[in-house]
Amino acid sequence: MSIADLHQLYEQGYYKKIVNIADKDDEFDPETQRLIAAANFQLGNYSDCLNLLAEIEGSFLNEGSFYSLYGAALRRVGLLKESLDKFKSAMELSEEDRYIKNNYANVLVDLGQHTEAIEILKGIVNQYPEYLDAKINLERAEDRLIKSKDEKDITEAKTQVSSKTDFDPLMAAFSDEEVDLASKSPLGNTAQNPVIKHIPDTNKDKKILEKLELLKQTLAEKNYTFGLSLCSELKVLGLPADLTYKYASDCYVGLQKYVEAEIYLLHSALLNPNNINSIINLVSVCSIKGDLERATYFFDKIKNKPELDHTQKVHLEKILAQRTKELKNKPFKFDS
């Protein structure tokens, strides 16, 4: 198959077909290998992508787009400093490429270099006001900058806490309501220390927060297969199981694997019955599956709970009403 044919397959989104063709033959020119690497990237096969890019780097030393792909793949596997280096190379070769600048700034945000990232992103948005992704990343950078300043204030406040206070970072528990990566106070009596919030004090906590941030970004980009691999890593790192299962279910919903999504939501709800978010999602998933009896059952369990705000309640009622109308005279059937 010619390189033109492979390009056409790529443009049409047949990434798996490209990879399958590559599996049948080991001899490819560098341009074809780059295309195969890009297809692997789209499928979430980042290790395969990186292996191919490492082999052919010498053939693309003067192409910014090559280093942009390289940097993006490195970011996906959490090698942020290496990713930044590749994006720097890409920018040196393609100084005016807004997409490369945007991706470079994104890694800067990941590394906590918010001020530089904001400066770059503002320049992109001012020049290309229609570039939505740059706007989203600018908001993310500005939000992270504010949070980093807040954390600095909190850290200073922590030094003023009485030495008699028993501080145990293991008491920290991530809550589903705080998906912005904040978490509960690790102090036993938060009422006496309202300014104190959880700041990760161990490398393990920091790794969890970093992986969670990457998982959120991955879900926003609809890369659900990679999201599941991050859920596996978070489970090993020690993220509370109910939250891990909730994120895993989000990935399975994106992959349209609703049975798996329902199973992990049930696990999440059983492990943390006080958190109604998993039950809310169960209503939606069961509605999608066409199991309105179970969807109604879960809705009835939470409809009068004060934690369910009016907007959420109305939204769930609309989902149930719509699905009831769509599935009229179509009883639920189990998959064989």
Side-chain angles (χ1 to χ4, degrees):
M1 185 172 288
S2 69
I3 185 66
D5 292 333
L6 289 174
H7 271 293
Q8 187 173 7
L9 287 175
Y10 188 88
E11 293 298 325
Q12 294 172 346
Y14 293 116
Y15 310 122
K16 184 65 175 175
K17 191 169 183 179
I18 294 172
V19 172
N20 288 340
I21 292 170
D23 289 340
K24 298 176 182 178
D25 192 347
D26 294 332
E27 298 296 328
F28 291 105
D29 62 89
E31 183 60 40
T32 302
Q33 281 188 274
R34 176 165 69 166
L35 190 61
I36 295 168
N40 273 298
F41 179 88
Q42 295 292 347
L43 292 169
N45 303 331
Y46 302 117
S47 294
D48 292 337
C49 174
L50 288 169
N51 288 336
L52 284 167
L53 294 176
E55 289 178 11
I56 60 175
E57 182 175 2
S59 300
F60 298 98
L61 296 176
N62 297 315
E63 291 198 27
S65 60
F66 173 85
Y67 284 105
S68 181
L69 174 60
Y70 211 153
L74 287 165
R75 178 173 180 258
R76 290 297 192 184
V77 297
L79 297 175
L80 299 180
K81 291 182 179 179
E82 293 85 347
S83 173
L84 191 69
D85 288 340
K86 297 302 181 185
F87 277 122
K88 282 182 179 178
S89 298
M91 286 183 61
E92 290 171 1
L93 294 165
S94 305
E95 294 181 3
E96 301 304 317
D97 191 311
R98 55 177 166 169
Y99 302 106
I100 292 176
K101 285 182 179 179
N102 177 56
N103 289 331
Y104 176 73
N106 221 6
V107 181
L108 287 175
V109 176
D110 292 338
L111 290 168
Q113 300 177 35
H114 307 117
T115 303
E116 184 180 353
I118 289 170
E119 183 179 348
I120 293 171
L121 290 166
K122 280 185 175 179
I124 298 172
V125 171
N126 288 338
Q127 189 172 359
Y128 304 99
E130 77 287 354
Y131 191 4
L132 181 59
D133 194 50
K135 289 182 179 179
I136 293 172
N137 287 332
L138 177 58
E139 291 177 4
R140 175 173 171 252
E142 290 174 337
D143 181 58
R144 290 283 291 274
L145 178 62
I146 292 170
K147 286 182 180 178
S148 68
K149 289 180 178 178
D150 289 344
E151 288 182 357
K152 181 180 178 182
D153 293 340
I154 293 167
T155 303
E156 291 173 355
K158 283 179 67 176
T159 63
Q160 301 171 14
V161 177
S162 170
S163 60
K164 295 181 181 180
T165 302
D166 293 327
F167 177 74
D168 181 5
L170 296 178
M171 292 174 63
F174 298 96
S175 69
D176 196 39
E177 291 81 12
E178 294 169 315
V179 293
D180 60 351
L181 305 185
S183 21
K184 293 180 181 178
S185 169
L187 297 174
N189 188 344
T190 56
Q192 295 177 3
N193 302 281
V195 72
I196 308 300
K197 296 181 181 178
H198 174 59
I199 299 174
D201 287 286
T202 67
N203 288 332
K204 188 175 181 180
D205 289 330
K206 290 177 181 177
K207 286 181 180 178
I208 288 175
L209 290 178
E210 289 170 359
K211 290 292 182 183
L212 268 177
E213 181 69 16
L214 182 56
L215 177 57
K216 283 181 61 181
Q217 183 75 12
T218 299
L219 288 171
E221 295 172 358
K222 300 181 180 181
N223 195 338
Y224 304 115
T225 301
F226 182 52
L228 286 172
S229 69
L230 289 175
C231 288
S232 298
E233 292 180 35
L234 283 164
K235 192 172 188 298
V236 172
L237 286 171
L239 182 70
D242 64 296
L243 190 52
T244 304
Y245 292 149
K246 186 268 177 189
Y247 279 117
S249 74
D250 290 343
C251 295
Y252 281 119
V253 168
L255 293 169
Q256 298 183 14
K257 295 184 176 182
Y258 301 117
V259 173
E260 290 88 344
E262 182 182 359
I263 289 171
Y264 284 105
L265 282 171
L266 285 167
H267 282 310
S268 179
L270 285 169
L271 289 166
N272 189 358
N274 295 322
N275 191 328
I276 69 168
N277 287 322
S278 293
I279 304 295
I280 290 173
N281 289 348
L282 277 167
V283 177
S284 298
V285 169
C286 289
S287 297
I288 292 171
K289 290 174 58 185
D291 194 347
L292 296 180
E293 183 177 353
R294 281 168 59 75
T296 303
Y297 166 79
F298 289 123
F299 178 66
D300 288 342
K301 286 179 69 71
I302 59 172
K303 66 181 181 182
N304 295 320
K305 286 185 175 289
E307 299 97 314
L308 185 71
D309 64 42
H310 179 70
T311 302
Q312 289 174 313
K313 185 175 182 180
V314 170
H315 176 66
L316 292 176
E317 287 173 338
K318 285 183 177 179
I319 289 176
L320 288 171
Q322 180 181 344
R323 292 297 283 161
T324 299
K325 183 178 180 180
E326 292 172 350
L327 299 172
K328 188 177 181 180
N329 300 323
K330 293 181 183 179
F332 174 76
K333 293 182 180 179
F334 292 98
D335 293 331
S336 58

